[in-house]
């Protein structure tokens, strides 16, 4: 059984673009939610004059994702979507992130081409209803983990490593090839501690 929900609104103009239907649909599907923060939070803070952490030059191009990279490298992933069917030359202000480098990626975060920083932002062209994804590199990547151990039992394997103070998280990758390059196909999990229990790999497991 499928459940369909509808939201209706009258507007002037003869097309869905004239009625700004694309924004109305997004706002209805993901309504604004406010939360009270009891105390000041650590962090960089917003530019008081701009009041934003990212600026996009055109209203028909929206930021649909801003998150830590889950696979294929370090950094912050930003994904943009064009929502009105218009090829658009865009400028994005990234001053809040202060990136040292930017890479365009595919939708699964594989690096494709470097993107030149223009001051504190980037410029790119996005096709009608298209997506563009970028990786922001901020600072120096942490060193590889050390002291890796693996303890097997009948139900899984506990992989542990030397902790890195100050690390926000660790990405775990797995492959039967000891010389593999970590990527989307080998990504297992992101953890906030210096160990991961893998129920897939266990004592007595064989492969051909």
């Amino acid at each position: 059984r499928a459940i369909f929900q509808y939201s209706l609104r009258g507007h002037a103009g003869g097309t869905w673009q004239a009625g700004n239907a694309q924004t109305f649909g997004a706002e209805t599907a993901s309504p604004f939610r406010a939360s009270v923060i009891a105390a000041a939070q650590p962090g960089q803070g917003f530019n008081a004059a701009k009041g934003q952490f990212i600026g996009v030059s055109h209203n028909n191009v929206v930021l649909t994702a801003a998150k830590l990279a889950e696979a294929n490298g370090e950094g912050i992933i930003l994904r943009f979507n064009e929502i009105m069917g218009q090829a658009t030359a865009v400028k994005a202000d990234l001053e809040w992130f202060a990136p040292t480098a930017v890479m365009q990626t595919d939708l699964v975060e594989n690096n494709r081409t470097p993107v030149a920083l223009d001051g504190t932002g980037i410029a790119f062209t996005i096709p009608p209803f298209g997506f563009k994804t970028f990786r922001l590199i901020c600072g120096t990547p942490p060193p590889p983990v050390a002291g890796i151990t693996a303890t097997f039992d009948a139900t899984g394997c506990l992989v542990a490593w030397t902790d890195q103070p100050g690390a926000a998280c660790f990405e775990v990758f797995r492959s039967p090839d000891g010389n593999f390059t970590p990527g989307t196909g080998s990504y297992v999990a992101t953890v906030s501690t210096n160990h991961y229990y893998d129920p897939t790999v266990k004592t007595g497991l064989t492969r051909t």
Side-chain angles (χ1 to χ4, degrees):
R1 185 180 68 170
I3 297 176
F4 295 91
Q5 295 179 325
Y6 297 89
S7 296
L8 304 177
R9 181 185 67 178
H11 64 82
T15 66
W16 61 270
Q17 290 98 334
N20 201 25
Q22 69 285 346
T23 301
F24 172 65
E27 292 172 347
T28 302
S30 302
F32 180 76
R33 298 177 182 177
S35 299
V36 176
I37 299 177
Q41 303 295 299
Q44 183 175 335
F46 289 120
N47 182 312
K50 297 180 179 179
Q52 62 186 25
F53 75 95
I54 186 170
V56 183
S57 60
H58 291 69
N59 290 335
N60 62 307
V61 178
V62 297
L63 180 69
T64 58
K67 62 187 182 67
L68 291 174
E70 296 177 9
N72 299 345
E74 301 293 331
I76 298 168
I77 296 296
L78 302 182
R79 182 167 295 123
F80 298 88
N81 178 210
E82 199 288 315
I83 59 175
M84 291 190 67
Q86 303 170 0
T88 306
V90 187
K91 290 186 177 181
D93 182 357
L94 309 175
E95 180 181 4
W96 186 82
F97 294 101
T100 56
V102 179
M103 292 288 298
Q104 184 174 335
T105 78
D106 59 21
L107 287 176
V108 291
E109 303 179 15
N110 295 301
N111 287 342
R112 291 306 186 205
T113 56
V115 179
L117 275 167
D118 180 12
T120 61
I122 58 173
F124 60 94
T125 300
I126 189 168
F129 301 117
F131 290 87
K132 283 291 179 76
T133 307
F134 301 94
R135 182 192 310 279
L136 310 187
I137 306 299
C138 306
T140 303
V145 298
I148 301 174
T149 62
T151 305
F152 296 87
D153 60 28
T155 59
C157 174
L158 177 64
V159 181
W161 54 88
T162 303
D163 201 7
Q164 292 182 347
C169 60
F170 298 93
E171 294 175 336
V172 181
F173 301 85
R174 180 186 62 223
S175 172
D177 180 2
N179 296 317
F180 78 103
T181 299
T184 301
S186 57
Y187 173 75
V188 176
T190 297
V191 296
S192 58
T193 57
N194 63 321
H195 59 269
Y196 173 73
Y197 189 79
D198 187 349
T200 304
V201 181
K202 58 190 70 175
T203 299
L205 180 69
T206 61
R207 66 181 181 88
T208 57

